[in-house]
Amino acid sequence: MLSRSHDPIVAIATAPGRGAVGIVRVSGRELAPLVQVICGRALKPREASYLPFRAADGSIIDQGLALYFPTPHSYTGEDVLELQAHGGPVVLQLLLARCLEAASEVDAAINQPRLKGLRVAQPGEFTERAFHNDKIDLAQAEAIADLIDASTEAAARSASRSLAGEFSREIHGLRDALIHLRMLVEATLDFPEEEIDFLQKADARGQLSKLEQNLTIIMQKARQGALLREGIRVVIAGQPNAGKSSLLNALAGAELAIVTPIAGTTRDKVQQTIQIDGVPLHVIDTAGLRDSEDEVERIGIERAWDEIKAADAVLFLHDLSRAEGTAYQQADAVIAQTLTDHLPTRVPVVNVWNKLDAAPLAARPSGLHLSAKTGAGLDALRQELLTLAGWQAAPEGLFIARARHVQALERVQMHLQTATQHLLAKTQALDLLAEELRLGQNALNEITGEFTSDDLLGVIFSSFCIGK
């Protein structure tokens, strides 16, 4: 779990390695004396100053830009100092060490432990402080990490919208409507002797119905946003020489897997993330499924089954040029039965018939037909993959979301459905209705972080990079 203290923190804020520019960031309370020691003079707020960064003995470590952001107008809500130097690892480490050293000098000079405890930041601690200082909510904090990690343009744009607060505004709209409905119910509970029926007069039933409708719309956007962030795992399975590696190469547009006429060429999984209409799909090529005496191949087949069991969707690849062979059909039937036995019913299995170029006149069993060699039929497969993923044409304003957001919204939906049952019951249990609305509000608050546990915060922020 991340520290929740108010110690001043410092870290290299740029990615490891060499680069043209590297940044060392400091955040804490009352950093002005530290700025004076490191930069040799005071800095104008939010104005870049070009100056030398000096070591304790006065020698120059580097020259670069320094920026000072006094509280509360900074990323973290505290005083923030950013030193932009040349991006060599040694230079940045020297600047980091200088900041730690300068803090002790400041404390000794002013005879106060003002900067005592300046330490290297933990992963995500700058963003965590921005959250605790109400600069951003939890959904926006997660959007920062999602923007950094985005693997497609659509994911990056959606993360940017969430960072700008679009997702949070949707959640706050639901919460405000829910609070208003709770107020009506609580008023009825507080004044049961009144002749006025607060709920009927205020059309509580209509308000609850509209709330559920708006929730459904937001849930759909959230599911699409989660799909943009996480994608799905698609495993290509089938007998040896069905063209699994060729199909992976065709989808990826690169020669990733070795392709030969020799059965059993693929001994281990080969994975590649592709994108279709901005949706990331993690496609995994696996060893051909068959009985084998080869120890290495058997290990590869075991790993193939492990991948199949963890898949979100399976492409069962068949060889159209061998489709009429009795032995081939029997082996396919065994694989199909094993897939049925091992996969949850929610995991779709799509029959894909490959080598259309080698058997153009062959009978066409049900399923998709394509040629990984020529590319015929690949567009239809791509559209099928999007359908399997649950993707719909992206509406304007789509925001990024995470699985935990979708799960929270699903709990809200469950509580609202139960609340509706209590409201429509002949004998209204208003105390139970009020409780369901309260639980629904708590689930919404978990998304933005207004009601959440420290354990969840630790998990979220520890996934960030150091310096962010």
Side-chain angles (χ1 to χ4, degrees):
M1 185 186 300
L2 291 175
S3 169
R4 309 297 180 211
S5 72
H6 295 287
D7 296 340
I9 54 175
V10 60
I12 298 171
T14 40
R18 292 176 173 82
V21 177
I23 299 174
V24 173
R25 174 184 289 162
V26 187
S27 180
R29 298 176 178 179
E30 301 181 33
L31 294 185
L34 183 69
V35 173
Q36 183 73 43
V37 170
I38 293 177
C39 301
R41 60 181 173 85
L43 299 178
K44 292 183 179 179
R46 295 173 297 282
E47 183 176 302
S49 300
Y50 181 71
L51 45 77
F53 304 131
R54 297 184 181 275
D57 61 4
S59 62
I60 296 177
I61 298 173
D62 194 7
Q63 295 193 115
L65 297 178
L67 295 99
Y68 177 49
F69 303 90
T71 183
H73 304 295
S74 69
Y75 177 70
T76 65
E78 302 173 331
D79 285 356
V80 170
L81 172 65
E82 288 195 356
L83 307 176
Q84 300 184 10
H86 293 95
V90 174
V91 172
L92 296 178
Q93 287 295 336
L94 288 173
L95 281 178
L96 179 67
R98 176 57 184 146
C99 289
L100 294 168
E101 183 182 37
S104 298
E105 294 178 19
V106 169
D107 287 348
I110 64 178
N111 197 28
Q112 292 181 18
R114 182 176 294 175
L115 291 172
K116 182 180 180 181
L118 178 65
R119 56 176 174 80
V120 176
Q122 299 177 57
E125 197 165 4
F126 289 96
T127 303
E128 182 190 20
R129 293 194 176 192
F131 165 69
H132 284 298
N133 292 327
D134 296 325
K135 303 296 291 185
I136 53 176
D137 64 29
L138 193 54
Q140 290 174 294
E142 291 170 301
I144 293 170
D146 294 337
L147 182 59
I148 294 171
D149 295 335
S151 59
T152 68
E153 180 181 346
R157 291 183 181 278
S158 298
S160 181
R161 294 189 189 99
S162 287
L163 178 56
E166 290 190 20
F167 183 32
S168 299
R169 282 191 288 274
E170 298 267 19
I171 298 302
H172 288 152
L174 287 177
R175 186 201 60 185
D176 292 345
L178 192 49
I179 290 174
H180 181 69
L181 193 55
R182 284 188 65 192
M183 178 190 68
L184 297 174
V185 176
E186 296 291 346
T188 304
L189 285 170
D190 289 341
F191 304 102
E193 70 281 355
E194 294 289 336
E195 294 182 0
I196 299 175
D197 186 341
F198 288 96
L199 299 183
Q200 185 174 1
K201 184 177 180 180
D203 188 23
R205 182 175 177 179
Q207 290 190 41
L208 185 54
S209 177
K210 184 177 180 180
L211 187 57
E212 290 185 278
Q213 292 173 8
N214 291 338
L215 174 62
T216 299
I217 295 172
I218 294 173
M219 283 180 65
Q220 177 60 26
K221 287 185 178 181
R223 288 193 179 103
Q224 299 291 286
L227 185 59
L228 280 180
R229 178 183 182 271
E230 298 166 8
I232 64 169
R233 291 174 62 84
V234 179
V235 174
I236 307 174
Q239 294 189 54
N241 269 2
K244 298 183 295 300
S245 297
S246 297
L247 180 56
L248 173 66
N249 292 343
L251 288 171
E255 296 297 318
L256 302 174
I258 298 173
V259 177
T260 75
I262 303 172
T265 299
T266 301
R267 300 295 185 94
D268 204 351
K269 69 175 183 179
V270 180
Q271 179 172 333
Q272 178 68 19
T273 297
I274 65 173
Q275 59 167 301
I276 303 175
D277 289 355
V279 179
L281 300 176
H282 314 293
V283 184
I284 303 163
D285 175 28
T286 58
L289 304 176
R290 65 173 177 177
D291 293 327
S292 175
E293 299 299 325
D294 187 301
E295 179 65 22
V296 177
E297 187 178 1
R298 281 210 309 270
I299 294 173
I301 293 170
E302 290 175 2
R303 292 183 178 180
W305 281 113
D306 289 340
E307 291 296 331
I308 289 170
K309 293 173 186 176
D312 296 311
V314 175
L315 299 182
F316 186 3
L317 199 63
H318 309 271
D319 185 343
L320 194 59
S321 67
R322 292 184 282 168
E324 297 180 359
T326 302
Y328 187 82
Q329 291 177 356
Q330 291 175 343
D332 257 8
V334 171
I335 295 173
Q337 185 60 52
T338 309
L339 287 172
T340 301
D341 294 341
H342 285 82
L343 285 175
T345 54
R346 63 173 179 78
V347 178
V349 177
V350 181
N351 288 297
V352 180
W353 293 87
N354 188 28
K355 303 187 181 180
L356 185 61
D357 57 300
L361 302 179
R364 301 286 181 88
S366 61
L368 292 172
H369 302 83
L370 57 82
S371 169
K373 182 177 181 180
T374 67
L378 281 181
D379 286 342
L381 176 60
R382 292 187 180 99
Q383 291 305 309
E384 180 67 18
L385 289 173
L386 287 179
T387 301
L388 292 177
W391 180 251
Q392 299 177 2
E396 285 297 319
L398 187 65
F399 43 72
I400 205 75
R402 296 190 172 196
R404 81 169 192 91
H405 301 151
V406 176
Q407 292 164 4
L409 291 171
E410 288 172 347
R411 293 203 307 277
V412 176
Q413 186 179 54
M414 178 188 68
H415 290 306
L416 291 186
Q417 289 172 348
T418 306
T420 300
Q421 293 172 5
H422 291 310
L423 183 62
L424 299 181
K426 291 183 179 180
T427 304
Q428 291 181 343
L430 295 185
D431 53 341
L432 297 178
L433 171 59
E435 177 64 10
E436 292 298 333
L437 296 178
R438 184 187 69 83
L439 293 173
Q441 183 183 340
N442 285 347
L444 285 175
N445 287 341
E446 287 180 16
I447 295 175
T448 55
E450 294 162 78
F451 177 84
T452 192
S453 68
D454 284 347
D455 288 341
L456 176 61
L457 296 180
V459 170
I460 290 173
F461 288 110
S462 62
S463 66
F464 281 57
C465 55
I466 292 177
K468 196 60 180 177

